Amino acid sequence: MLISKIIGSSQRLRYVGRTLKINAINRNSLQTKNTNVVTFSQKRYLSEFGYGTDLLNESLHHTIRPKIVFDSYSATSGCDVRGMEAAKGSVVHMNGSCIGFPHACYLWKPSNPKEITMDSLEVITIHEPSIDILLVGSDTPIPPRLMNKIREGMRESGIVVDHMDLLHACATFNVLNGEDRNVAVALLCEDADED
């Protein structure tokens, strides 16, 4: 969480992309004008961060609903996801391909690049709030014709599509999600049994 210095009588706490005016500062919480309370896990001084502050973690938890984070992945077995509401803070292993949204993650049927179609990605186009960026992660190359069809289909819905490997797709999703972007990720984990 980015914290700016206090400016005169109109004190401000600056979030990533947001500014809230502060009326009163308590020891463990900050009271804003619209009566939302932002709670910190430890005592903070508004003038400095100190050593070891996890900015991504704090930016993911300043909303009412927790945001998900992809902790780790395996190209054949799936991804470890932290922050899902149903898991109550523990890590969930998604065994296979999955689609991730800012607050949730679901298993996804495709297990090889040829199975990725506009029909398999339709959940992205109907998600509310609407998605602006779709990251497609796969350690095996997706044929350019297939990616072009997906890009053209998603462009009609106003969604930008980018293809990258699994590691970069997970990391980029985590950063964009921390910046409060409307982002989704489709991670293709191929079956180990397939030839």
Side-chain angles (χ1 to χ4, degrees):
M1 182 178 302
L2 298 176
I3 301 176
S4 65
K5 63 182 181 178
I6 298 174
I7 305 171
S9 62
S10 63
Q11 302 169 342
R12 294 182 185 180
L13 174 68
R14 181 174 288 267
Y15 288 101
V16 179
R18 297 182 183 175
T19 303
L20 299 174
K21 293 191 181 200
I22 300 171
N23 285 341
I25 299 176
N26 295 335
R27 186 174 260 212
N28 293 325
S29 67
L30 298 174
Q31 184 74 31
T32 61
K33 269 190 175 179
N34 58 2
T35 67
N36 291 333
V37 176
V38 180
T39 305
F40 294 112
S41 58
Q42 62 188 29
K43 184 178 177 184
R44 304 266 169 158
Y45 299 101
L46 294 179
S47 61
E48 64 185 10
F49 281 112
Y51 181 74
T53 301
D54 186 357
L55 296 176
L56 178 61
N57 188 36
E58 288 187 6
S59 68
L60 290 170
H61 293 94
H62 75 271
T63 59
I64 295 171
R65 292 178 64 195
K67 293 186 176 187
I68 67 166
V69 175
F70 286 95
D71 268 347
S72 61
Y73 81 95
S74 167
T76 56
S77 72
C79 302
D80 289 337
V81 182
R82 183 171 38 100
M84 291 180 60
E85 288 179 274
K88 297 185 170 92
S90 62
V91 176
V92 175
H93 180 75
M94 303 297 283
N95 193 15
S97 300
C98 59
I99 290 185
F101 295 101
H103 303 286
C105 187
Y106 305 99
L107 288 174
W108 187 40
K109 186 170 176 134
S111 61
N112 66 55
K114 293 178 183 175
E115 294 177 5
I116 300 175
T117 63
M118 280 302 295
D119 289 338
S120 71
L121 293 169
E122 189 170 356
V123 68
I124 304 288
T125 61
I126 62 174
H127 185 269
E128 287 296 327
S130 62
I131 298 297
D132 297 327
I133 303 167
L134 170 63
L135 306 170
V136 179
S138 170
D139 280 344
T140 55
I142 297 176
R145 276 192 183 161
L146 180 60
M147 276 310 299
N148 288 337
K149 284 182 185 178
I150 292 170
R151 282 188 178 105
E152 289 172 13
M154 291 293 177
R155 189 177 303 134
E156 292 172 5
S157 300
I159 300 172
V160 176
V161 178
D162 196 4
H163 173 252
M164 53 191 72
D165 63 30
L166 282 172
L167 174 68
H168 291 107
C170 291
T172 305
F173 173 83
N174 289 343
V175 170
L176 292 176
N177 196 20
E179 292 177 349
D180 290 333
R181 303 279 193 94
N182 291 329
V183 63
V185 64
L187 301 174
L188 182 68
C189 298
E190 298 189 47
D191 292 337
D193 301 339
E194 289 186 9
D195 295 320

